[in-house]
């Protein structure tokens, strides 16, 4: 597909393949609504592997503008994403951005409009991650409680945040960047990922020595888990199970069906195959310290 402006312009985020087999993505601008403060507002689109394209939603500023992060499909089957601008709050020059949900029937619901500095974040540019507790975690590029005064210049937009948001839309700020001396925790964070130890990891584009950026972690008390690569496959498919401290594992099951396996020497991964009789469900690994479950259901095709 080649975009023509009316169906979107600037697909800068990656695609996600949903459980219906189609791919979903966003365009930063373009679309049929021109009520935004900078460009046409942007879109959400669907495209099949054969190239059949359709527009799912045209943003109109009140529900967001300029989506720049990839969508994520949650355990409930709905799609979730962010817009870097627009929304209900005009405390930012072009709106502070939103978190949105797209449910069956291509219905978009705005879950949260960010308020910006100093009460919360602004401009969520990266993708959300659904963690093992069912909540979404993400970052905002600006906003938060802290200004940055460097070289005599005051950046009053705030240095960015890490936040948690429930599927119902309740948002909690977890961290405002530049909280540490000399901005040692970073400034202007990017997308998060959850490690198999339960902790979140990410990067910040600025802060610390010479404003060169940081790599950070944030623990919120979530338990370890295992992750399968790939997340789906037919019987006989080779699967790598990633985890933490997997040495001494005594059992691997696919939704209760036992599988043969080999643990890597450093205990960071297990090599296995999808066993005969396996059905879609959790993958579980029994270790000397307890049973670890997969963060998502493994889909047997």
């Amino acid at each position: 597909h080649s975009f023509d402006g009316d169906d979107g312009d600037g697909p800068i985020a990656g695609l996600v393949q949903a459980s219906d087999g189609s791919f979903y993505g966003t365009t930063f601008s373009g679309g049929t609504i021109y009520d935004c403060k900078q460009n046409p507002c942007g879109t959400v689109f669907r495209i099949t592997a054969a190239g059949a394209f359709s527009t799912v939603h045209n943003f109109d500023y009140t529900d967001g503008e300029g989506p720049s992060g990839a969508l994520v499909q949650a355990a409930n089957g709905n799609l979730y994403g962010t817009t870097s601008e627009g929304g209900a709050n005009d405390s930012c020059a072009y709106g502070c951005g939103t978190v949105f949900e797209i449910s069956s029937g291509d219905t978009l619901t705005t879950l949260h409009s960010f308020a910006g500095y100093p009460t919360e974040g602004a401009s969520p540019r990266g993708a959300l991650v659904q963690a093992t507790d069912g909540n979404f975690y993400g970052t905002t590029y600006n906003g938060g409680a802290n200004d940055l005064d460097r070289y005599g210049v005051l950046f009053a937009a705030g240095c960015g945040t890490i936040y948690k948001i429930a599927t119902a839309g309740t948002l909690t700020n977890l961290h405002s960047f530049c909280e540490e001396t000399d901005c040692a925790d970073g400034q202007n964070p990017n997308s998060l990922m959850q490690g198999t130890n339960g902790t979140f990891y990410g990067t910040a584009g600025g802060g610390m020595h010479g404003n060169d950026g940081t790599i950070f972690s944030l623990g919120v008390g979530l338990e370890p888990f295992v992750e399968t690569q790939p997340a789906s496959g037919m019987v006989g498919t080779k699967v790598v199970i990633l985890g933490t401290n997997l040495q001494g594992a005594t059992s691997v099951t696919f939704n209760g069906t036992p599988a043969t396996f080999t643990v890597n020497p450093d205990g960071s991964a297990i090599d296995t195959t999808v066993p005969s009789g396996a059905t879609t469900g959790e993958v579980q690994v029994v270790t000397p310290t307890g049973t670890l479950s997969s963060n998502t259901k493994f889909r047997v095709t």
Side-chain angles (χ1 to χ4, degrees), residues 33-114:
I33 297 178
Y34 290 78
D35 293 335
C36 292
K37 295 190 176 182
Q38 294 196 86
N39 305 296
C41 301
T43 69
V44 178
F45 63 85
R46 176 194 301 109
I47 188 167
T48 69
F53 179 94
S54 59
T55 299
V56 173
H57 184 77
N58 285 282
F59 288 98
D60 65 5
Y61 186 81
T62 63
D63 59 11
E65 170 188 353
S68 60
L71 300 172
V72 59
Q73 186 174 34
N76 63 8
N78 294 339
L79 298 170
Y80 293 81
T82 62
T83 65
S84 60
E85 300 167 347
N89 294 311
D90 279 331
S91 55
C92 307
Y94 302 110
C96 298
T98 69
V99 178
F100 63 86
E101 172 191 39
I102 298 176
S103 57
S104 59
D106 297 344
T107 301
L108 185 138
T109 301
T110 301
L111 298 179
H112 186 77
S113 290
F114 287 92

Side-chain angles (χ1 to χ4, degrees), residues 83-170:
T83 65
S84 60
E85 300 167 347
N89 294 311
D90 279 331
S91 55
C92 307
Y94 302 110
C96 298
T98 69
V99 178
F100 63 86
E101 172 191 39
I102 298 176
S103 57
S104 59
D106 297 344
T107 301
L108 185 138
T109 301
T110 301
L111 298 179
H112 186 77
S113 290
F114 287 92
Y117 173 86
T119 58
E120 59 181 43
S123 190
R125 300 184 181 183
L128 297 166
V129 57
Q130 188 175 32
T132 48
D133 62 355
N135 294 311
F136 295 97
Y137 291 79
T139 64
T140 62
Y141 190 79
N142 296 120
N146 302 311
D147 288 335
L148 173 62
D149 191 350
R150 176 179 284 128
Y151 314 125
V153 178
L154 182 65
F155 298 90
C159 300
T161 68
I162 303 173
Y163 63 89
K164 174 179 73 174
I165 185 167
T167 54
T170 303

Side-chain angles (χ1 to χ4, degrees), residues 189-223:
N190 303 301
S191 298
L192 300 172
M193 61 87 64
Q194 187 182 20
T196 55
N197 60 359
T199 299
F200 294 97
Y201 295 86
T203 60
M208 198 48 181
H209 303 292
N211 201 32
D212 293 327
T214 64
I215 301 172
F216 62 85
S217 68
L218 177 73
V220 296
L222 300 184
E223 295 296 324

